[in-house]
Amino acid sequence: MIPGGRAPEYIRTDPDVARIVPYFFERGLPVGTICHGPQVPAALGLLRGRTTAAFPPLRTDMEMAGASFVDAPDVVDGAMVSCRGWPDLPEWSRAFMRVLEGANVSL
């Protein structure tokens, strides 16, 4: 789960984040992003060819990272579930729970 707000601006440069986030993407493990959260996988080159929601002003950033941007409360792309921000949390939470329920997770 990658939070929104200003956190992604700072954590996307952390070496541990740069190790952990690709681990989840490469293995198809569930990843949730909220609001500015997609900035992290975008900075790591993990959104190319994917579909994501994000805080609407980030549309250009997501598209420059190679993602298709969708202005919706719950966007599911494989095991990644994204939303625009906190008002979308009810829809996002239901979608993320469905992905978690269907995940065959072994770390």
Side-chain angles (χ1 to χ4, degrees):
M1 181 25 221
I2 304 172
R6 298 278 317 266
E9 183 179 336
Y10 297 101
I11 67 173
R12 64 186 171 176
T13 61
D14 184 283
D16 287 327
V17 171
R19 177 180 52 81
I20 294 166
V21 174
Y23 180 93
F24 274 71
F25 274 82
E26 290 162 4
R27 287 162 180 77
L29 298 172
V31 174
T33 64
I34 296 174
C35 189
H36 286 73
Q39 287 180 315
V40 173
L44 298 172
L46 300 170
L47 291 185
R48 191 164 323 287
R50 301 192 74 118
T51 301
T52 190
F55 185 59
L58 296 178
R59 176 186 202 116
T60 301
D61 300 286
M62 298 301 104
E63 291 171 347
M64 293 300 291
S68 296
F69 177 86
V70 177
D71 188 0
D74 59 337
V75 175
V76 178
D77 182 333
M80 184 180 80
V81 182
S82 57
C83 72
R84 300 170 294 200
W86 67 265
D88 297 335
L89 287 178
E91 295 92 340
W92 177 89
S93 296
R94 284 188 284 277
F96 195 57
M97 289 304 296
R98 285 190 299 272
V99 167
L100 288 173
E101 289 168 354
N104 183 12
V105 178
S106 68
L107 301 172

